[in-house]
């Protein structure tokens, strides 16, 4: 039994030994090895995922590039935490483009594509301890080697302001690249400010230090990129202002003027120019000195980019002032009269006075002078008007009320008190023009009232017409008083003078119509259900028929075709008639409400037009003394005359001439409504005296209507005024922008069209006149201001580009298209994107003229030290890449190099970036390990 137990125990021991040999005891591995293993696991996972899976797992796109993404992972070593980031591209580009503006900083410095960056998670984000940095980089290199990965790895070191890195890349089984970058932030040696010294700095990395580099030839590849920027607007530049005032501008080919302040000089963006010397081989310091002294025009490439990064923030323009006007509109519901906002008896006036400032009387006088006393010629109201402008119920841009609204936007920062003061003075000035019978500026005095405009503009237009009619009446009165001529003799039908108190000249070819200048010669209006107007043709107007000696015809335009009177064998004559009285929109609404209240009856319609009918009937009687009521109906309302024979009138509404000659008197009858007992038209006919239009009382009483208009303006409720001001201000502001010349930029034209459509939709509720201070329309108006602001910004860029590149429209269109595509989705919330445009040879001089020579005040601020001046401007940034290559089969790498590597490799590469104040150098060296 004992032996059996010994055998069993020996078998168990052997099994335990075999099991122990198959167990990997990681507890014996060091923390350093576990750290490497963790890095390796992360890298293997990234390699296995590929770019598409990394995107699905949350890889982040870099703002500076549309094609570069990064994935990151966190890991720990002892008590420290690190973050490892993998930068990769989605679209694998074949050839590496050196001066691609979308490259990452490390890609540009070292000429790599995909890479790793490992950094501590600390406040500085860099490794301050040199041994720690070397150990960290070694761990990443070992992990990448275990993964058979060729990714370069970088570790940020030193101080964060130095942008310093060290790095390493395994290029296979033979070669290794090492990277190092650092920066001098101040006191750059003078030698390193020039291309000669930078060339010798690169050569010193692979040549013997005892050599005189200037006396030896070292062939290296060289490429350079220079960046220039136009000078910003300088408020302190007094010399420039003096040049503008005292010197004549010198025109440049680009349409700009030397040392002349342009309208967009203070725009918060500038142009940048990138000048690139393509890669070439240089052989010595003297050649580098020649390149430094050469003109930028000798460079192979010119690239223009706009720096529109400062569009963020508030800017004073139409949009900002319109927003203040909406605030005033909201406050306008707090009072019944405009005087309440400035009255000392108003309980809330103290709060208004403390928060809202009224400009001085001098400024008020200046504004009123600009509104009323500038220019005597009537402006062109259609000038600059957009085709959709009339859909907004405001006033035309050049009209008096529109100009008042535009002044109000900047008067006292557009607060309600300032608007109230300006409006009171505005109405007071209008009353002076009325009382003195002076022509109202910026308002037409002829034509009909434009009912598509706001009511205030209609009232002002009607007031201007009333003033003009009052002036005509005064002139006629003065002429009558001052005339010493005897009263004219009566005129018979054949034109001879006869005894009588009244006469008129026969309406022949030389008929003088000045006495009826306010009337229409063919003013034949439809009345009742008239369907056709009789028109006067030259062949229809002839001398009157022979009449008895006691027949007097007055106020005749001429015959009405071949029509004859019913009771006498005389031709029917059309009279001069007065124009229908002008009416504004509210007057039309009053008539409409009256019709709705009393029903749409024929009698009531005639009652409303009684004065007009009476005037027309009197004029018809004067022109046709033998006429009867039926004759007036045949002329004024032919639809109410029915022929007995059933024949209808011809297309012109006049019976055939043959029928009139054979069948006289005309046979027919009145319509039913005209033949009813007690017909109002017949009553008016019976009462109408035979008085020609020039001797009648005017249908429009200018004195009465003028006083009514002034009463409306003086008692207008604040919210009604502000409603019309808001509509007019938006329309006038948009029309002002629409006058801006921005060339053939289709996107801008489309945005302007959309702006008018949006304004028309948002402003439409203001026409209903039933809003309140808490209405949702107020918020809609605020949102409309935001839309207006975006369009205004786009237009500013478009106009500035068009002006600067007037002779190169291709550039302005390309830059604006790129800016539009970037700006529109973000609506101005992001910073501007620098979209570059390659310049053609004939466009270079135009862009060069944009860099005007600096003035004396600008020149002393900076000492020029870098060369390659462009019109006196040195580059704000100079970037250089030196590189040298070696044939592996012919160099010192050749003995240990396999046949597969018998090719030229880049052994040294140096990227230099700097200005006159700092210098950054990045070096990569390839060695054979």
């Amino acid at each position: 039994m004992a032996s059996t137990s010994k055998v069993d125990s020996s078998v168990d021991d052997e099994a335990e030994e075999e099991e122990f040999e198959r167990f990997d005891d990681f507890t014996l591995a060091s923390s350093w090895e576990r750290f490497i293993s963790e890095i390796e696991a992360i890298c293997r996972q990234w390699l296995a995922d590929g770019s598409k899976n990394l995107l699905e797992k949350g890889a982040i796109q870099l703002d500076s590039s549309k094609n570069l993404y990064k994935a990151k992972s966190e890991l720990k070593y002892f008590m420290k935490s690190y973050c490892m980031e993998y930068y990769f591209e989605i679209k694998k580009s074949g050839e590496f483009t050196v001066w691609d503006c979308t490259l990452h900083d490390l890609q540009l410095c070292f000429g790599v594509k995909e890479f790793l960056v490992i950094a501590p998670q600390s406040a500085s984000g860099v490794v301050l301890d040199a041994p720690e940095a070397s150990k960290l980089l070694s761990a990443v290199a070992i992990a990448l080697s275990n993964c058979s990965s060729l990714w370069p790895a970088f570790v940020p070191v030193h101080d964060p302001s130095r942008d310093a890195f060290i790095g390493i890349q395994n290029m296979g089984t033979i070669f290794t690249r090492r990277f190092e970058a650092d920066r001098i932030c101040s006191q750059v040696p003078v030698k390193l400010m020039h291309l000669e010294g930078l060339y010798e700095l690169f050569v010193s990395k692979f040549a013997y230090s005892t050599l005189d580099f200037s006396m030896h030839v070292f062939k290296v590849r060289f490429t350079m990129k220079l960046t220039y920027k136009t000078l910003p607007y300088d408020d302190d530049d007094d010399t420039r202002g003096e040049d503008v005032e005292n010197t004549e501008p010198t025109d440049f080919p680009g349409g700009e003027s030397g040392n002349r302040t342009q309208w967009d000089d203070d725009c918060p963006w500038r142009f940048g120019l990138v000048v690139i010397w393509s890669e070439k081989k240089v052989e010595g310091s003297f050649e580098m000195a020649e390149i430094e002294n050469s003109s930028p025009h000798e460079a192979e490439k010119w690239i223009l980019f706009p720096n529109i990064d400062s569009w963020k923030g508030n800017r004073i323009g139409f949009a900002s002032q319109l927003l203040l006007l909406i605030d005033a509109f909201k406050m306008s519901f707090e009072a019944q009269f405009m005087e309440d906002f400035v009255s000392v008896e108003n309980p809330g006036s103290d709060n208004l006075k403390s928060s809202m400032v009224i400009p001085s009387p001098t400024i008020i006088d200046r504004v009123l002078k600009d509104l009323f006393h500038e220019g005597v010629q009537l402006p062109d109201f259609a000038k600059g008007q957009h085709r959709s402008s009339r859909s907004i119920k405001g006033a035309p841009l050049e009209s008096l009320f529109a100009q008042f609204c535009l002044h109000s936007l900047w008067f006292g920062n557009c607060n309600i008190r300032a608007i109230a003061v300006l409006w009171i003075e505005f109405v007071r000035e209008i009353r002076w023009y009325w009382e003195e019978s002076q022509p109202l500026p910026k308002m037409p005095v002829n034509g009909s009232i434009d009912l598509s405009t706001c009511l205030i503009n209609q009232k002002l237009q009607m007031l201007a017409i009333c003033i003009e009619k009052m002036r005509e009446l005064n002139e006629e009165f003065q002429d009558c008083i001052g005339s010493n001529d005897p009263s004219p003799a009566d005129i018979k039908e054949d034109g001879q003078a006869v005894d009588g108190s009244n006469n008129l000249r026969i309406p022949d070819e030389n008929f003088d119509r000045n006495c009826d200048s306010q009337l229409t010669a063919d003013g034949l209006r439809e009345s009742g259900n008239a369907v056709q107007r009789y028109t006067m043709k030259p062949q229809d107007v002839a001398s009157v028929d022979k009449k008895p000696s006691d027949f007097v015809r007055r106020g005749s335009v001429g015959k009405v075709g071949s029509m004859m009177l019913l009771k006498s064998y005389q031709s029917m004559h059309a009279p001069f008639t007065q124009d229908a009285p002008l009416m504004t929109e509210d007057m039309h609404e009053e008539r409409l409400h009256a019709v709705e209240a009393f029903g749409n009856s024929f009698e009531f319609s005639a009652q409303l037009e009684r004065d007009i009918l009476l005037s027309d009937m009197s004029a018809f009687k004067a022109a046709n003394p033998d006429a009867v009521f039926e004759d007036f109906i045949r002329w004024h309302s032919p639809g109410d005359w029915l022929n007995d024979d059933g024949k209808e009138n011809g297309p012109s509404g006049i019976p055939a001439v043959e029928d009139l000659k054979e069948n006289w008197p005309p046979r027919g009858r009145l319509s039913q409504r005209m033949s009813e007992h007690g017909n109002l038209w017949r009553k008016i006919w019976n009462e109408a005296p035979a008085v020609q239009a020039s001797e009648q009382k005017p249908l429009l009483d200018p004195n009465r209507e003028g006083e009514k208009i002034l009463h409306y303006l003086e008692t207008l409720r604040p919210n009604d005024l502000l409603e019309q001001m808001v509509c007019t201000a938006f329309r006038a502001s948009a029309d002002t922008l629409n006058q801006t010349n921005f060339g053939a930029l289709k996107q801008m034209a489309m945005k302007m069209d959309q702006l008018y459509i949006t304004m028309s939709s948002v402003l439409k509720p203001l026409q209903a006149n039933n809003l309140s201070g808490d209405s949702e329309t107020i918020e809609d108006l605020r949102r409309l201001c935001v839309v207006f602001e975006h369009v205004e910004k786009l237009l500013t860029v478009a106009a500035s580009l068009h002006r600067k590149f007037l002779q190169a429209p291709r550039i302005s269109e390309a830059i604006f298209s790129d800016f539009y595509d970037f700006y529109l989705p973000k609506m101005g919330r992001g910073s501007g994107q620098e979209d570059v445009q390659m310049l053609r040879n004939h466009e270079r001089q135009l862009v060069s003229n944009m860099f005007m020579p600096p003035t004396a005040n600008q020149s002393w601020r900076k000492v020029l030290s870098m060369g390659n001046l462009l019109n006196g401007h040195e580059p704000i940034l100079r970037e250089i890449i030196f590189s040298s290559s070696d044939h592996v089969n012919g160099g010192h790498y050749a003995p240990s190099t396999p046949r597969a590597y018998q090719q030229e490799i880049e052994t040294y590469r140096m990227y230099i970036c700097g200005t006159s104040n700092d210098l950054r150098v990045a070096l990569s060296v390839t060695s054979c390990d």
Side-chain angles (χ1 to χ4, degrees), residues 388-412:
S388 300
S389 181
R390 292 177 65 87
S391 63
I392 303 171
K393 201 170 183 62
L397 174 61
E398 299 296 333
S399 65
L400 183 60
F401 183 61
Q403 293 299 309
F404 168 82
C405 293
L406 290 179
H407 276 286
S408 299
L409 291 179
W410 278 271
F411 186 77

Short mmCIF file of all heavy atoms in Angstrom, two decimals, residues 388-412:
data_model
loop_
_atom_site.label_atom_id
_atom_site.label_comp_id
_atom_site.label_asym_id
_atom_site.label_seq_id
_atom_site.Cartn_x
_atom_site.Cartn_y
_atom_site.Cartn_z
N SER A 388 -39.60 93.38 -55.97
CA SER A 388 -40.53 92.94 -54.93
C SER A 388 -40.73 93.99 -53.84
O SER A 388 -41.37 93.71 -52.83
CB SER A 388 -40.01 91.64 -54.29
OG SER A 388 -39.87 90.61 -55.25
N SER A 389 -40.18 95.18 -54.05
CA SER A 389 -40.24 96.20 -53.00
C SER A 389 -41.68 96.65 -52.74
O SER A 389 -42.05 96.93 -51.60
CB SER A 389 -39.38 97.40 -53.40
OG SER A 389 -39.40 98.39 -52.40
N ARG A 390 -42.51 96.72 -53.78
CA ARG A 390 -43.87 97.21 -53.61
C ARG A 390 -44.75 96.24 -52.84
O ARG A 390 -45.85 96.61 -52.42
CB ARG A 390 -44.49 97.49 -54.99
CG ARG A 390 -43.84 98.65 -55.71
CD ARG A 390 -44.44 98.84 -57.10
NE ARG A 390 -45.85 99.21 -57.02
CZ ARG A 390 -46.29 100.45 -56.89
NH1 ARG A 390 -45.43 101.45 -56.83
NH2 ARG A 390 -47.58 100.72 -56.83
N SER A 391 -44.29 95.00 -52.65
CA SER A 391 -45.07 94.06 -51.84
C SER A 391 -45.02 94.41 -50.36
O SER A 391 -45.80 93.87 -49.56
CB SER A 391 -44.56 92.63 -52.05
OG SER A 391 -43.21 92.52 -51.61
N ILE A 392 -44.09 95.31 -49.97
CA ILE A 392 -43.98 95.78 -48.59
C ILE A 392 -44.69 97.12 -48.51
O ILE A 392 -44.34 98.06 -49.22
CB ILE A 392 -42.52 95.90 -48.17
CG1 ILE A 392 -41.80 94.56 -48.33
CG2 ILE A 392 -42.42 96.39 -46.73
CD1 ILE A 392 -40.31 94.64 -48.15
N LYS A 393 -45.67 97.24 -47.64
CA LYS A 393 -46.50 98.45 -47.58
C LYS A 393 -45.76 99.53 -46.79
O LYS A 393 -46.07 99.83 -45.63
CB LYS A 393 -47.85 98.13 -46.94
CG LYS A 393 -48.93 99.15 -47.28
CD LYS A 393 -50.29 98.66 -46.84
CE LYS A 393 -51.38 99.64 -47.23
NZ LYS A 393 -51.48 99.79 -48.69
N GLY A 394 -44.79 100.10 -47.44
CA GLY A 394 -44.05 101.21 -46.86
C GLY A 394 -44.07 102.39 -47.81
O GLY A 394 -44.97 102.52 -48.64
N ALA A 395 -43.08 103.23 -47.71
CA ALA A 395 -42.95 104.40 -48.59
C ALA A 395 -41.74 104.20 -49.48
O ALA A 395 -40.77 103.55 -49.09
CB ALA A 395 -42.82 105.67 -47.76
N PRO A 396 -41.76 104.74 -50.71
CA PRO A 396 -40.59 104.64 -51.60
C PRO A 396 -39.36 105.26 -50.95
O PRO A 396 -39.45 106.17 -50.13
CB PRO A 396 -41.03 105.43 -52.85
CG PRO A 396 -42.52 105.41 -52.82
CD PRO A 396 -42.90 105.42 -51.37
N LEU A 397 -38.21 104.76 -51.34
CA LEU A 397 -36.96 105.12 -50.69
C LEU A 397 -36.70 106.62 -50.70
O LEU A 397 -36.30 107.20 -49.69
CB LEU A 397 -35.79 104.39 -51.37
CG LEU A 397 -34.38 104.76 -50.92
CD1 LEU A 397 -34.21 104.46 -49.44
CD2 LEU A 397 -33.34 104.02 -51.75
N GLU A 398 -36.93 107.30 -51.82
CA GLU A 398 -36.61 108.72 -51.94
C GLU A 398 -37.73 109.62 -51.46
O GLU A 398 -37.62 110.84 -51.56
CB GLU A 398 -36.26 109.05 -53.40
CG GLU A 398 -35.05 108.31 -53.94
CD GLU A 398 -33.78 108.67 -53.20
OE1 GLU A 398 -33.71 109.80 -52.68
OE2 GLU A 398 -32.86 107.83 -53.16
N SER A 399 -38.83 109.06 -50.99
CA SER A 399 -39.95 109.88 -50.54
C SER A 399 -39.65 110.53 -49.19
O SER A 399 -38.71 110.14 -48.47
CB SER A 399 -41.22 109.04 -50.44
OG SER A 399 -41.09 108.05 -49.44
N LEU A 400 -40.46 111.51 -48.84
CA LEU A 400 -40.22 112.28 -47.61
C LEU A 400 -40.34 111.42 -46.37
O LEU A 400 -39.49 111.50 -45.46
CB LEU A 400 -41.22 113.45 -47.55
CG LEU A 400 -41.07 114.41 -46.37
CD1 LEU A 400 -39.70 115.06 -46.36
CD2 LEU A 400 -42.17 115.47 -46.41
N PHE A 401 -41.34 110.57 -46.29
CA PHE A 401 -41.52 109.76 -45.08
C PHE A 401 -40.45 108.68 -44.97
O PHE A 401 -40.00 108.36 -43.86
CB PHE A 401 -42.91 109.12 -45.09
CG PHE A 401 -43.22 108.33 -43.85
CD1 PHE A 401 -43.23 108.93 -42.60
CD2 PHE A 401 -43.47 106.97 -43.92
CE1 PHE A 401 -43.50 108.20 -41.45
CE2 PHE A 401 -43.75 106.23 -42.78
CZ PHE A 401 -43.76 106.85 -41.54
N ALA A 402 -40.03 108.11 -46.08
CA ALA A 402 -38.95 107.11 -46.03
C ALA A 402 -37.65 107.73 -45.53
O ALA A 402 -36.92 107.13 -44.73
CB ALA A 402 -38.75 106.47 -47.40
N GLN A 403 -37.35 108.94 -45.99
CA GLN A 403 -36.15 109.61 -45.51
C GLN A 403 -36.27 109.95 -44.02
O GLN A 403 -35.28 109.90 -43.28
CB GLN A 403 -35.91 110.88 -46.33
CG GLN A 403 -35.55 110.62 -47.77
CD GLN A 403 -34.28 109.81 -47.92
OE1 GLN A 403 -33.25 110.15 -47.33
NE2 GLN A 403 -34.34 108.73 -48.68
N PHE A 404 -37.47 110.30 -43.58
CA PHE A 404 -37.69 110.53 -42.15
C PHE A 404 -37.40 109.27 -41.35
O PHE A 404 -36.76 109.32 -40.29
CB PHE A 404 -39.13 110.99 -41.91
CG PHE A 404 -39.55 110.98 -40.48
CD1 PHE A 404 -39.22 112.02 -39.63
CD2 PHE A 404 -40.26 109.89 -39.94
CE1 PHE A 404 -39.60 112.01 -38.30
CE2 PHE A 404 -40.64 109.87 -38.62
CZ PHE A 404 -40.30 110.92 -37.79
N CYS A 405 -37.85 108.13 -41.85
CA CYS A 405 -37.62 106.86 -41.13
C CYS A 405 -36.14 106.52 -41.09
O CYS A 405 -35.64 106.04 -40.05
CB CYS A 405 -38.42 105.75 -41.80
SG CYS A 405 -40.21 105.92 -41.65
N LEU A 406 -35.43 106.73 -42.17
CA LEU A 406 -33.99 106.43 -42.18
C LEU A 406 -33.24 107.35 -41.22
O LEU A 406 -32.32 106.90 -40.53
CB LEU A 406 -33.45 106.58 -43.60
CG LEU A 406 -33.90 105.52 -44.61
CD1 LEU A 406 -33.30 105.80 -45.98
CD2 LEU A 406 -33.53 104.12 -44.15
N HIS A 407 -33.62 108.62 -41.17
CA HIS A 407 -32.99 109.52 -40.20
C HIS A 407 -33.30 109.08 -38.77
O HIS A 407 -32.45 109.16 -37.88
CB HIS A 407 -33.47 110.96 -40.41
CG HIS A 407 -32.71 111.69 -41.46
ND1 HIS A 407 -31.43 112.17 -41.27
CD2 HIS A 407 -33.04 112.04 -42.73
CE1 HIS A 407 -31.00 112.77 -42.36
NE2 HIS A 407 -31.96 112.71 -43.26
N SER A 408 -34.52 108.58 -38.55
CA SER A 408 -34.92 108.18 -37.20
C SER A 408 -34.10 107.01 -36.69
O SER A 408 -33.90 106.87 -35.48
CB SER A 408 -36.41 107.81 -37.19
OG SER A 408 -37.21 108.91 -37.55
N LEU A 409 -33.62 106.17 -37.60
CA LEU A 409 -32.85 105.00 -37.17
C LEU A 409 -31.59 105.41 -36.41
O LEU A 409 -31.15 104.69 -35.51
CB LEU A 409 -32.48 104.15 -38.39
CG LEU A 409 -33.62 103.42 -39.09
CD1 LEU A 409 -33.09 102.64 -40.30
CD2 LEU A 409 -34.33 102.46 -38.14
N TRP A 410 -31.01 106.53 -36.77
CA TRP A 410 -29.77 106.97 -36.12
C TRP A 410 -29.97 108.23 -35.29
O TRP A 410 -29.00 108.78 -34.79
CB TRP A 410 -28.69 107.21 -37.17
CG TRP A 410 -28.00 105.95 -37.59
CD1 TRP A 410 -26.89 105.39 -37.02
CD2 TRP A 410 -28.38 105.08 -38.65
NE1 TRP A 410 -26.55 104.23 -37.67
CE2 TRP A 410 -27.45 104.00 -38.68
CE3 TRP A 410 -29.41 105.08 -39.59
CZ2 TRP A 410 -27.53 102.97 -39.60
CZ3 TRP A 410 -29.48 104.05 -40.51
CH2 TRP A 410 -28.55 103.02 -40.51
N PHE A 411 -31.20 108.66 -35.12
CA PHE A 411 -31.47 109.87 -34.35
C PHE A 411 -31.69 109.49 -32.89
O PHE A 411 -32.67 108.82 -32.54
CB PHE A 411 -32.72 110.57 -34.92
CG PHE A 411 -33.01 111.90 -34.29
CD1 PHE A 411 -32.29 113.02 -34.64
CD2 PHE A 411 -34.01 112.02 -33.34
CE1 PHE A 411 -32.56 114.25 -34.07
CE2 PHE A 411 -34.30 113.24 -32.76
CZ PHE A 411 -33.56 114.36 -33.13
N GLY A 412 -30.75 109.91 -32.03
CA GLY A 412 -30.87 109.56 -30.62
C GLY A 412 -30.85 108.08 -30.37
O GLY A 412 -31.51 107.58 -29.45
#
